[in-house]
Structure formats: C-alpha cells, structure tokens
Amino acid sequence: MNRILVILTIDTENLPGNFQEIIKHEREVVAQWKKEGFLDQLFLRQTKNGAVLIFKEINEEKVNQLMTTLPLYKLKKSMEVFALIKDKEF
C-alpha cells in the first residue's frame, strides 16, 4: 500500500481577512477526501503554519493536482511531497 506524505507550510505573515472562512472551506475539502478514501491522515503543525497530509493508494501526480485545489494552497509558502514505501518489518 503506497503512501504519499505532503508537508504544507503557509505564509502566516500575510493572512487575508477572511482566513477563518478559508479554514472552514479547507476542512470541508479534506473531509471529502477522507470520505472518498484517499486521504489517510491529516496532522496540523504545532507551529500553526501548516499541515502534514498522508495520502494512500493514489500517485504523486494526482496528489499534486489535489493539493492545488485546497483553499490554503493559495497561501502556501512551501510544499514538500514525499513518496513513501512501508517497511515490511513494521
């Protein structure tokens, strides 16, 4: 089972006035991804400047395409994408 890890960092120094609305829409989008079965986990970062998402059973190209549809993507400072391989020992 493949996994793809995404680390999204947003620009917290230039947040728009409607940031809370953006967050609400963001939660709706990721809830739909979870319901559709390709978002495995979502972790918020303690620094409150982004999130870590773990996708399953989709390819990196699809993950990159999906990430551009996130409301917070417009505020991104950086995004790192890592394809992961499960260690058979664990």
Side-chain angles (χ1 to χ4, degrees), residues 1-84:
M1 182 177 282
N2 77 317
R3 295 283 194 271
I4 297 178
L5 174 84
V6 178
I7 302 172
L8 176 67
T9 304
I10 61 170
D11 182 4
T12 57
E13 298 198 16
N14 295 302
L15 298 178
N18 67 337
F19 183 68
Q20 290 306 315
E21 290 175 41
I22 293 170
I23 292 294
K24 182 179 182 237
H25 188 217
E26 180 88 2
R27 287 185 174 140
E28 292 167 354
V29 171
V30 296
Q32 183 61 37
W33 290 356
K34 185 79 170 168
K35 183 179 177 183
E36 291 177 21
F38 51 81
L39 180 64
D40 190 33
Q41 295 289 326
L42 169 69
F43 298 94
L44 301 178
R45 294 171 54 187
Q46 271 189 329
T47 54
K48 298 183 181 179
N49 68 340
V52 175
L53 301 94
I54 302 174
F55 293 89
K56 62 182 179 181
E57 298 309 315
I58 59 174
N59 63 36
E60 195 171 332
E61 182 180 336
K62 179 67 174 175
V63 167
N64 282 311
Q65 183 268 322
L66 285 169
M67 289 301 294
T68 65
T69 68
L70 275 179
L72 284 178
Y73 186 82
K74 296 176 184 113
L75 304 175
K76 94 173 166 60
K77 192 174 194 178
S78 67
M79 185 176 85
E80 297 176 273
V81 179
F82 301 95
L84 305 175

